[in-house]
Structure formats: structure tokens, C-alpha cells
Amino acid sequence: MKTYQSAELRSMFLKFFQDHGHAVISSASVIPENDPTVLFTTAGMHPLVPYLMGAKHPAGHRLTDVQKCVRTGDIEDVGDFSHLTFFEMLGNWSLGDYFKKEMIPWSWEFLTSEKYLGLPKDKLAFSVFAGDDDCPRDDESAQLWRDCGVSDDHIFFLPKENNWWGPAGVTGPCGPDTEMFIITDKEPCGPDCSPACSCGRYLEIWNDVFMQYNKKADGTFEPLAQKNVDTGMGLERTICVLNGKKSVYETDLFANILGKIAELSGKTYGSDAETTKAFRIIGDHMRTSTFIMGDDRGVSPSNVDQGYVLRRLIRRAVRYGMDIGMPDGFTGEIAKVIIDQYQTVYPELKRNQHFVVEQLALEETRFAKTLKQGNKEFEKLIAKVENQQIDGESAFHLYDTFGFPVEMTQELAKEKGLTVDMNGFHECFKKHQATSQAGAEQRFKGGLADHSAQTARLHTATHLLHAALRHVLGDEVAQKGSNITAERLRFDFSFGRKMTKEEIAEAEKLVNEYIAAAADITCEEMTVPEAKAAGAIGLFESKYGEQVKVYTMGSYSKEICGGPHAHNTGDLKSFKILKEESSSAGVRRIKAVIGATIDDE
Ligand code: SER
């Protein structure tokens, strides 16, 4: 049987689409910029939403990439054979360029040609959209598969539940898809066995989405101005299925990581169910944590937002590490293996290695300290528990005082046959005005950031603020994060100390001067070296020499950025800093508002 390596699949995929006129673009950050509605990038299409909606992408109408993705909704399920919180998604896009009649034969060629995956044709099955009131039955795709030589009994018409993708949040681009499956040796589970059932006969390896609708907030679908293609192939999963492995953890992507866990713990993966589960949880959570911190927008563990998810991942890995006898400080050792393995594909990991290892050591120490006390507290607590349930107040106390993520309390409780009163916990949480998991989880359910004129103006304000801060505090100031809601902007930047009152006033005054100057805002496309030479600041994360957008705001600001922005600095009307505070070690946070409001749209 042919074996497939992950590195080979990555490069084969990109090369195939490059040969079909696609520009290879770098993975975007796992931490979305200016998007308050999701914590992490969850799919290859996510950073491309504005372009699927019609904005012009600097690299053209045909793109391909390997995107770093984080999905932490199923964190509790990690430990079984398939769940992962981090994965890589191979994808290609048509931004209003080609459509079904190009994409389907290409998919067929990539799957079956000996030059590429070389899969046996009779081992492949396809699903297409069955049609409903929102969108007609996709006979065209079915016919295109037939034209490739697929027989009717290998084509399945399935409803929206199975054959529709998106939007990523509540609103945004979406459409019917056609999915591609490997048929395994498992017998059909019954007369209705199809790719829609979970019996394991059909394993999905690729998804071609025909993105031609925008789902609106009222739940209706309107046709998009352009017809797009968005495809996604999960690297880990596909490598697993192609090699006939039972688990994603048994692919080459995890070999070194699990090997290191074995070396450090003296235990063997697969020796028993508990050990296997611990290896998987440690492997997965460390990989995700390393990618979150090793990103150029990397964050450190904290009690809010991405930092909280990160804290949960690290602490859960440490807890399972203790169960299998991992030595103190093991997280940094595993991270180094992960960075070595991935650095050629994601060079930012190596650049940020020092930060990753340092943060892991700090978090491990912090956790060890609180864990001892917290465990004692937990034992006391369960001794007096009533109705098999830990009350919300106590769970909150563990969280607030001992740094126990509530999910960890839930897991510990479960091990003792108890539950946690989560409603009670959330009530206490709200009472204490803490912003974290509650809000964070809500956001996973939210829609993607809107692209209204008001968000564009607030986004423009962050560029002006960034420029003003560099003017007042010096060039050590660099953006670490940005988050925009309809009401305010929030800007995180590297700086070692609290700003003085005078410095805050000066930065605010400068931004107001930039606004009063009513300078035009222009956008140019160039390569990253050209942008650097032009004096632009921003993330230089491109690897492939692709074109990027550079926004210039009068003589004040020049930044690499995807946009969109206001047309003139005067559109902001005025600017006010509400708060300057610490975000994490070495990072300050400013919240600010502008004079323009949604009503000005
Ligand atoms: N957005 C689709 C997915 O996540 C295809 O890229 O599967």
C-alpha cells in the first residue's frame, strides 16, 4: 500500500494549485485581527471572508495555502482517536473566478492521478447538495462527477445538514458543497448507508464549497455578488485516512511528539487506555499551545479570551502529564520538539521559541503552586458536597483563588461521580465582573466581524494610535493584538511599563491632530520587501513573496494590513483614550473610542 507523508501532501497540494494558476499565500495568524466575534482562526476561509464578499485580494483571484487552525469547542473530547484542537487546513480559492466545472475535474485529478494521490477510483464516493427552498439541487456537480467517470451509486444527494458549509459564524459567505470520501473495507451498515452516517464506511477527505450566498442576520440567504470556490482538506485527518490508520495520533505528524512524551515519562503509548489518552491530550494541547504562543500575534496565558483558552490547554496537559509521571518543566521540552518539526513550514515558531518556552515554564510554576492548595481545597469541598453536586460559588472560588479552570473542576468532579452547578458558577462569575470563559465561549457561536463603515473607522483609529504611540514612547512599541467592536477599539502593544498621564494625553492629542489634518488614506499593493523598503510597519509574515496591501494615512502612518479602512482620517471626527492597563507581561492595552458613530454611516 502506498504511504503518504504530511510534508509531501502539503507541497503536492500547493504545487498542484500553483500549476493551475493559483498564488501560494502564507498562513494567516491563528489569532484573527480586528475580529471580536471569534477567538481563533477556525478554517482556511476565515481570513479570506472580506475577499469572498468581494474585496480585491492583492495576490489575485486564485489562491492556495495551508492555514493554521484552532478549534477548541471539543476540548473535552480530545483524548479519543480523532479529536484535535489544532489542525492544518489545505485549501484553494476562487474569488469570483472559476467555479464547479473547473473545480470538480481538478479535485478528481488530484485524488486519482498517479502524479498526485493516485487513489483507486472505485474507492471514492461523493456527496452533492440535495436542494431545498434556499438553493436548488446540485445536479450540475453530480453530472460533473459522472463526466469524470463516477458511477451513480457512488454519488449521494444529501440535505443542508450534510452538504452545506458556513457561514463560519452566524452571518457571512456560505453555500452548498460537494464532499469527497474514501470508502473503507467496512461493510455498509444497512440499505441506507451513505456518507451521511457515522458507521465509518465513508471517511471524508476533502470538501469543495461553492460559496455563492451570504447568510444574513435574519437567517435568509442572498446571492453573493461573485461566485466563489472554497475548498478545505484537513491535513492530519487526510494523512490518517490515506494511510489507513485508525487515529490521527498515529500519523507522522505526532511521531516525534509522542516519542518525546514516551522518553520523558518512561511510559509506552498504547500500553493501556489511560496512558494512551494522556499521551494524546498532552500531544494535542502542547501542539495547540505552541502554535498559539509561537504565532507572531502570540498571547500569553491569562484569564481572558485567547489567553484563557491557552491556560486551559496548558493546565490540562500538565495535569495529564502528572498522571503518567512526566517530569517538572516537561512542557518546554515538548514545545521544542514541536517547533523543530514545524519550523520549516511555520518559521514564526522558531522566531518566537524563546517566548513560548519562557511562558510555558512560568505557567507550569504558577499552576504547580496553586494546584497543591487547590487540590486540598477540592478534597475539603467534596467531603461536604450535597446532592452529588459542587455548588457554583465553590467552583468559582476554586477558579478565582486557585486558578482552577472551571472545566478542570468539572473533570475532577466527574472522576468522583459528581457534577458542577454551572449556572451557579456563571452567576458568580458575572457578579465578579470577570470577563473570560463565559464570554469566550459565546464568541465561538458568534458571527464573523462585520465589515461596516464604523468598524473600518475604528480600525483606522488603531493605525493612528499605533503611530502616535511609537512617536511618544519609541520604536519598541509594536502591535500585539487588536479587537474592535461597534463601540470601541482595543489595542495591545509591547511596552515594558505603565504609561504616564502625560504620555497618554500626548498620544491622544497626536491622534486628534492626525484626524484634524483630514489626510487621505490610500492603499497600494506590493511585496513584503518593497513594503519594508517603503518604511511600512506591521507583520511581515509572508513567506512566498506574495503581494500585500500597504495603507498610508497622510505622512503619519504606513502599515501592512488587509483593511478595510476609512477613506480619510477626518472621517473619525475625534479620538479619546478610555483606559490604559496591563494586558500581560510586557504588553499594555488601550481602549479608546472615536467621535464618529454608527449613525454617521
Ligand atoms: N470552509 C470549508 C471547511 O472548513 C472548506 O474550506 O471545510
Side-chain angles (χ1 to χ4, degrees):
M1 193 176 135
K2 196 167 165 177
T3 56
Y4 303 82
Q5 297 288 316
S6 54
E8 190 192 338
L9 178 56
R10 267 193 218 102
S11 51
M12 201 193 272
F13 188 95
L14 296 180
K15 175 82 173 45
F16 178 86
F17 284 101
Q18 205 171 18
D19 289 348
H20 288 88
H22 291 63
V24 181
I25 59 169
S26 304
S27 171
S29 165
V30 280
I31 298 178
E33 199 188 11
N34 301 319
D35 189 338
T37 61
V38 281
L39 290 175
F40 297 104
T41 301
T42 58
M45 58 77 73
H46 186 167
L48 297 171
V49 168
Y51 310 105
L52 294 163
M53 301 285 287
K56 184 174 175 294
H57 193 285
H61 302 291
R62 295 183 178 198
L63 309 175
T64 184
D65 74 10
V66 186
Q67 174 64 45
K68 308 179 273 187
C69 300
V70 170
R71 291 186 188 175
T72 55
D74 295 330
I75 203 169
E76 249 65 58
D77 293 324
V78 174
D80 68 1
F81 64 95
S82 66
H83 280 90
L84 294 170
T85 56
F86 170 85
F87 65 98
E88 295 171 79
M89 190 181 278
L90 303 161
N92 63 283
W93 290 272
S94 157
L95 303 172
D97 191 276
Y98 58 82
F99 205 47
K100 296 176 188 177
K101 71 178 190 326
E102 291 85 2
M103 190 61 230
I104 287 180
W106 285 343
S107 290
W108 179 255
E109 184 187 354
F110 188 75
L111 293 172
T112 60
S113 159
E114 280 307 322
K115 258 179 85 187
Y116 304 102
L117 297 186
L119 295 168
K121 299 177 184 176
D122 58 337
K123 291 278 175 217
L124 293 169
F126 304 87
S127 63
V128 295
F129 185 54
D132 61 16
D133 291 346
D134 298 320
C135 172
R137 175 182 160 100
D138 194 359
D139 285 314
E140 187 187 354
S141 291
Q143 189 53 45
L144 286 164
W145 287 122
R146 277 185 215 111
D147 294 345
C148 291
V150 179
S151 57
D152 274 322
D153 57 347
H154 283 226
I155 300 174
F156 297 82
F157 285 88
L158 297 175
K160 210 181 234 128
E161 210 183 317
N162 309 97
N163 268 67
W164 188 274
W165 201 90
V170 174
T171 59
C174 57
D177 64 34
T178 179
E179 298 180 20
M180 292 148 264
F181 301 83
I182 298 239
I183 308 174
T184 67
D185 293 337
K186 263 204 182 117
E187 289 302 315
C189 62
D192 294 332
C193 185
S194 83
C197 66
S198 54
C199 72
R201 177 168 160 83
Y202 298 95
L203 298 176
E204 187 196 333
I205 53 170
W206 200 1
N207 183 12
D208 292 351
V209 187
F210 302 115
M211 271 186 174
Q212 44 184 319
Y213 295 97
N214 177 32
K215 188 172 183 186
K216 297 198 294 187
D218 63 8
T220 59
F221 297 86
E222 66 181 4
L224 283 172
Q226 64 189 36
K227 287 183 177 173
N228 308 291
V229 175
D230 153 39
T231 91
M233 180 186 274
L235 179 70
E236 290 79 354
R237 188 191 158 82
T238 301
I239 281 290
C240 170
V241 172
L242 289 177
N243 289 314
K245 299 279 187 198
K246 284 211 168 54
S247 163
V248 286
Y249 295 96
E250 280 144 40
T251 61
D252 66 318
L253 289 155
F254 278 95
N256 297 340
I257 304 172
L258 298 184
K260 190 71 187 178
I261 300 173
E263 181 196 317
L264 292 171
S265 65
K267 300 281 191 320
T268 311
Y269 175 81
S271 57
D272 61 74
E274 284 310 303
T275 308
T276 302
K277 182 176 173 191
F279 268 62
R280 289 173 176 172
I281 290 175
I282 299 166
D284 170 79
H285 290 7
M286 288 315 304
R287 203 168 67 125
T288 310
S289 304
T290 303
F291 272 92
I292 294 175
M293 290 181 287
D295 197 280
D296 281 332
R297 289 204 187 99
V299 296
S300 26
S302 72
N303 273 346
V304 292
D305 302 336
Q306 289 94 349
Y308 182 70
V309 175
L310 175 62
R311 170 159 283 167
R312 264 177 84 186
L313 290 165
I314 299 171
R315 292 189 173 196
R316 197 159 180 261
V318 171
R319 215 167 66 75
Y320 279 91
M322 288 170 171
D323 289 351
I324 56 164
M326 294 289 272
D328 286 350
F330 79 85
T331 55
E333 293 306 306
I334 311 266
K336 282 184 213 157
V337 171
I338 295 168
I339 293 172
D340 277 351
Q341 172 176 324
Y342 282 102
Q343 58 168 308
T344 44
V345 190
Y346 304 104
E348 65 275 19
L349 294 176
K350 195 75 189 171
R351 274 201 298 280
N352 298 312
Q353 171 162 335
H354 181 72
F355 175 73
V356 174
V357 174
E358 180 189 72
Q359 290 299 318
L360 283 171
L362 279 172
E363 186 63 9
E364 254 198 81
T365 314
R366 265 186 235 123
F367 187 43
K369 249 195 228 154
T370 55
L371 193 59
K372 257 207 197 128
Q373 288 169 293
N375 272 337
K376 266 193 228 150
E377 191 75 11
F378 183 77
E379 295 297 330
K380 266 198 259 165
L381 190 71
I382 58 172
K384 55 171 198 206
V385 71
E386 285 168 24
N387 303 328
Q388 301 294 95
Q389 190 173 63
I390 296 177
D391 63 283
E393 188 105 27
S394 303
F396 184 76
H397 179 64
L398 281 173
Y399 164 81
D400 199 35
T401 314
F402 301 103
F404 268 41
V406 68
E407 298 76 13
M408 194 175 99
T409 304
Q410 276 182 301
E411 267 185 57
L412 289 171
K414 204 167 149 197
E415 284 167 17
K416 308 269 182 199
L418 306 173
T419 56
V420 177
D421 173 13
M422 289 304 287
N423 287 339
F425 172 82
H426 286 300
E427 259 168 46
C428 286
F429 199 93
K430 265 195 224 137
K431 245 192 272 165
H432 289 76
Q433 296 262 300
T435 49
S436 90
Q437 188 55 10
E441 289 297 325
Q442 282 312 312
R443 285 213 236 147
F444 284 114
K445 301 189 188 107
L448 290 174
D450 66 293
H451 295 280
S452 67
Q454 183 65 358
T455 11
R457 288 190 290 247
L458 281 156
H459 187 184
T460 299
T462 63
H463 280 225
L464 297 179
L465 173 63
H466 191 181
L469 289 170
R470 286 168 69 91
H471 196 86
V472 176
L473 304 174
D475 288 350
E476 71 173 284
V477 168
Q479 172 168 349
K480 296 299 284 180
S482 162
N483 173 296
I484 292 173
T485 67
E487 290 80 37
R488 57 118 182 96
L489 66 90
R490 194 183 82 193
F491 183 72
D492 291 353
F493 59 100
S494 50
F495 192 60
R497 62 164 170 83
K498 192 170 170 49
M499 288 174 72
T500 64
K501 264 203 196 105
E502 293 72 30
E503 286 164 345
I504 296 172
E506 179 65 16
E508 186 178 279
K509 190 175 130 224
L510 277 174
V511 175
N512 279 306
E513 281 173 24
Y514 303 157
I515 293 172
D520 278 337
I521 296 170
T522 55
C523 175
E524 284 165 282
E525 291 170 11
M526 55 186 89
T527 63
V528 170
E530 284 164 359
K532 272 191 198 174
I537 57 169
L539 285 185
F540 299 108
E541 59 189 5
S542 132
K543 260 191 327 193
Y544 300 103
E546 68 235 48
Q547 295 275 313
V548 292
K549 286 184 183 173
V550 173
Y551 278 89
T552 305
M553 307 182 175
S555 58
Y556 316 120
S557 156
K558 195 183 269 297
E559 270 196 56
I560 294 185
C561 172
H565 282 282
H567 300 295
N568 187 289
T569 59
D571 296 346
L572 280 52
K573 296 196 173 163
S574 63
F575 175 82
K576 184 160 179 52
I577 294 178
L578 300 178
K579 204 170 187 183
E580 190 268 352
E581 61 192 347
S582 165
S583 163
S584 60
V587 180
R588 307 296 302 174
R589 168 168 289 181
I590 282 180
K591 288 190 183 147
V593 290
I594 57 174
T597 65
I598 292 181
D599 296 338
D600 300 321
E601 281 176 19

